[in-house]
Structure formats: C-alpha cells, structure tokens
Amino acid sequence: MKHRYFLPFVLLLTTAFSTKAQTTKQTTTVRQVWMAYMNQTRLSEKWGIWTDFHLRTKDDFVKDLSLSIIRLGGTYYFATNTKLTAGYAYVNFFPAEGHANISQPEHRIWQQLQWHTNYTRIRTMQWIRLEERFRHKIKNDDELADGYNFNYRLRYNLQFFIPLNKNKFAPKTFSWVVNDEILLNFGKEIINNYFDQNRFFTGLAYHVNDHDNFQFGYSNVFQQLAAGNRYRSIHVIRLFYFHNMDLRKKEKGQ
C-alpha cells in the first residue's frame, strides 16, 4: 500500500523541478469559473455509459466563455471499483487570441482506467487517461484553416475524500476533497511543452445520497503554453456535480 502512489508523486516532483528551471518564463494570471455535470450510469453487471458536460469562463470569473466540452463513453466494469472507459469528446474553444472572431473546435478520442479504494475514514479515486487530440488549424482571426494539429495527452488524477462528520460517508453530510491531476503532452508536433498542466483542487463535497455528490471549492491550474517559456496560472472557482446511476435493479426486476 505504501508504494501505491510512488510513481505519481515522482512525476509531480519531476515536473515541478523542470518547470522551475525555466529562467525566462512569462506567466499570465487569469480567474475563471469551471462548471461540470458528470454522469456514470451502470447498465448491467459489466457495461455502462459515461457522460459529462463542461463550461468554463474566460477571465474575471464571469467575463465571456473560454470553452465547452461534451464527452461520451462506454464503460466496461472489471469489478465495481475498477472500470475501463473509451469514447469521444467534442471541445469548443470560444473566440480567443489567434482566432478572435471564430470558435476553434477540437475532436478527442479518449481511453481511461479508473479505480476506487474505500476505507473507513477515507476514500480515494484514481484514473489514468489517454487522449488523442485533433485541434482544428487556425488561418487567422476570422477563418479556420484546412486540417488539424494532432498530439497525445496523458493524464493522471488522484483524489482523496475525508468525511467531516462522525457518521463517516453518509447522505446529507460533507467531506473534504483534495485532488491533483497532472497532464503531459507527447507526439511529433509537441516540441516545447511536454508538460501541459497541473490541476490542484481543494474544497468540499456535499453527499446528496449514497452515490451522488456536489463539489465546490478552489482550483489552481498551472499550464505551460506551446511556446515553452509562456505559462498561465488560472485561479478557478470549481462547481462539479457527480451523478451516478445503477440500472441493474431494473434489470433484475424484469
């Protein structure tokens, strides 16, 4: 058990030292709100579906929109707490620098291994996700160009839940949530920014029932841009609703 999180922490430390070594880095700070609805529905003993929707603002928390995501997937359950999901996501980057008058679409294929560990006073969730990203090329502020830029992205996410009441994890109670996700780029088109970003979150989860929870709190996203020496530090108010459904009861009752 002690070595379970060794590799992720090594990756985090390596990334931290490599980014700190950048002597000419330029960092821009922005403030955003990230909202999401996350749904996992189990259809049978082995199969389920994944759906999530995201909307993010651009700056000053409420100024304009930066992107939206619609993500779908099919899930295979190795066990209740271990599952493999693969699917497609459509990402829309609203008008921004380099494409001021048009949105930039991105198509993603993704695969993910996710697992949960439950203890008496703590729960953990981890996933490893691989993405194949096809981002539409930009001609100018007003036009999309032909073709796509392509790269892979690898993501590792680790989340802890710690209950804040004597009844442990019970409906209508709160838990403290700590989450960190590191994202790494690779592929022949990636030159300077193999490190993509790190997302740290801390906040509260309100357990609506035994399966669903609403999370709210603060996230800091530190992102390296394609130029290599340009970075973005994003202060985020994060509002996520996690909705989990199990339709096996209906299946057994038929």
Side-chain angles (χ1 to χ4, degrees):
M1 292 296 298
K2 292 183 179 180
H3 64 273
R4 177 171 294 182
Y5 309 117
F6 177 75
L7 178 58
F9 286 128
V10 169
L11 287 173
L12 288 172
L13 288 173
T14 302
T15 301
F17 283 119
S18 65
T19 56
K20 190 175 180 64
Q22 298 283 344
T23 57
T24 59
K25 69 180 182 182
Q26 304 171 21
T27 303
T28 302
T29 300
V30 296
R31 294 167 292 276
Q32 299 180 348
V33 176
W34 290 15
M35 298 170 285
Y37 168 78
M38 317 278 287
N39 176 273
Q40 294 189 60
T41 299
R42 191 165 184 175
L43 301 175
S44 67
E45 197 64 30
K46 290 296 184 182
W47 296 101
I49 55 176
W50 174 297
T51 309
D52 64 76
F53 305 95
H54 298 254
L55 193 63
R56 301 173 187 171
T57 60
K58 184 174 291 183
D59 198 5
D60 294 330
F61 295 119
V62 295
K63 182 180 178 181
D64 301 325
L65 295 174
S66 61
L67 68 78
S68 63
I69 303 173
I70 300 174
R71 184 182 288 111
L72 304 171
T75 299
Y76 178 80
Y77 287 81
F78 296 103
T80 298
N81 291 327
T82 306
K83 48 205 166 188
L84 179 67
T85 304
Y88 165 79
Y90 177 79
V91 185
N92 181 55
F93 293 89
F94 290 95
E97 181 181 355
H99 54 102
N101 301 315
I102 54 169
S103 293
Q104 181 187 24
E106 177 182 324
H107 305 280
R108 293 182 190 170
I109 310 300
W110 62 285
Q111 306 84 39
Q112 174 180 286
L113 179 65
Q114 182 184 29
W115 64 101
H116 303 259
T117 307
N118 298 329
Y119 304 99
T120 303
R121 295 293 302 176
I122 191 171
R123 291 179 180 175
T124 70
M125 186 283 297
Q126 299 176 74
W127 76 44
I128 298 174
R129 180 182 295 178
L130 177 65
E131 298 174 326
E132 295 82 39
R133 307 178 65 193
F134 298 84
R135 184 177 296 188
H136 213 299
K137 291 182 178 179
I138 297 294
K139 186 175 183 180
N140 52 47
D141 278 347
D142 303 293
E143 295 181 75
L144 297 174
D146 293 332
Y148 297 86
N149 294 313
F150 173 79
N151 71 277
Y152 297 96
R153 187 165 68 177
L154 184 65
R155 304 168 59 164
Y156 173 76
N157 190 22
L158 173 61
Q159 185 173 79
F160 294 90
F161 289 88
I162 301 172
L164 298 179
N165 68 96
K166 63 181 181 180
N167 294 322
K168 305 170 187 176
F169 296 98
K172 303 185 184 336
T173 64
F174 288 90
S175 292
W176 177 38
V177 183
V178 180
N179 184 90
D180 196 78
E181 183 177 17
I182 185 169
L183 297 83
L184 304 174
N185 295 315
F186 63 100
K188 65 180 182 180
E189 296 186 20
I190 300 299
I191 299 174
N192 297 314
N193 61 324
Y194 290 98
F195 167 72
D196 178 40
Q197 58 188 275
N198 188 80
R199 300 176 179 178
F200 173 80
F201 170 78
T202 184
L204 296 176
Y206 176 72
H207 298 272
V208 180
N209 51 47
D210 288 330
H211 306 288
D212 306 336
N213 68 87
F214 173 66
Q215 295 182 18
F216 55 97
Y218 168 77
S219 180
N220 179 259
V221 181
F222 188 74
Q223 180 181 24
Q224 183 178 23
L225 304 180
N229 65 340
R230 295 181 60 195
Y231 297 83
R232 182 182 292 126
S233 179
I234 309 174
H235 299 288
V236 177
I237 296 174
R238 203 180 89 169
L239 309 169
F240 282 14
Y241 189 82
F242 293 84
H243 185 199
N244 299 283
M245 300 175 63
D246 191 341
L247 303 184
R248 290 178 297 171
K249 294 180 181 179
K250 293 183 179 181
E251 183 181 75
K252 292 175 182 178
Q254 291 177 350

